[in-house]
Amino acid sequence: MKHTFWIIGWLLVGGILCQVGWLPWWAIAGVGAMGGWLWAKGNSQSFWGGFLGGFLLWLLFALLRDVANGGILSARVGALFLGLPRWGLLGVTGLLGGLLGGLGTLTGYRARVWWHRR
């Protein structure tokens, strides 16, 4: 369980660097892969730790941006997706971030397993 918190923390710190514009949005997968290589102890732990870190990161930043502009942008984008409400759009954003973080972390863990088997 302690290693899962390391993965989540690693993703959050690396994700903050992505959000402030120093890294591109997809770099969170690379940050997750490094966390998976260093701390993950199994397939399930690596994926769910990365998923939770990516989900929280993207949901938090989407929520902060949504509150900053009064929800205008999320309401308009939600209308493009068949009337998806604001909270639904924020949930989809968090889900996409979670998948990116989880798959990146799982990739890092599986790469370490493959490397040590050679």
Side-chain angles (χ1 to χ4, degrees):
M1 188 67 158
K2 181 176 93 173
H3 296 288
T4 304
F5 290 117
W6 276 106
I7 293 170
I8 292 169
W10 185 257
L11 277 170
L12 291 176
V13 169
I16 290 169
L17 295 176
C18 294
Q19 294 296 327
V20 296
W22 293 346
L23 298 171
W25 66 270
W26 48 264
I28 193 70
V31 172
M34 287 188 286
W37 181 283
L38 296 173
W39 292 297
K41 297 294 181 194
N43 290 326
S44 177
Q45 181 196 28
S46 65
F47 177 78
W48 289 112
F51 182 88
L52 188 58
F55 180 83
L56 291 175
L57 175 77
W58 280 30
L59 182 67
L60 177 70
F61 275 107
L63 185 62
L64 289 174
R65 303 273 172 132
D66 187 52
V67 169
N69 68 22
I72 296 170
L73 183 62
S74 62
R76 290 183 180 172
V77 172
L80 292 174
F81 292 107
L82 301 174
L84 191 66
R86 286 176 50 189
W87 58 268
L89 189 63
L90 293 174
V92 169
T93 302
L95 183 66
L96 290 174
L99 285 173
L100 184 63
L103 291 175
T105 308
L106 182 62
T107 301
Y109 171 71
R110 295 303 304 164
R112 183 184 74 196
V113 168
W114 175 80
W115 183 261
H116 289 295
R117 283 188 185 166
R118 290 184 348 143

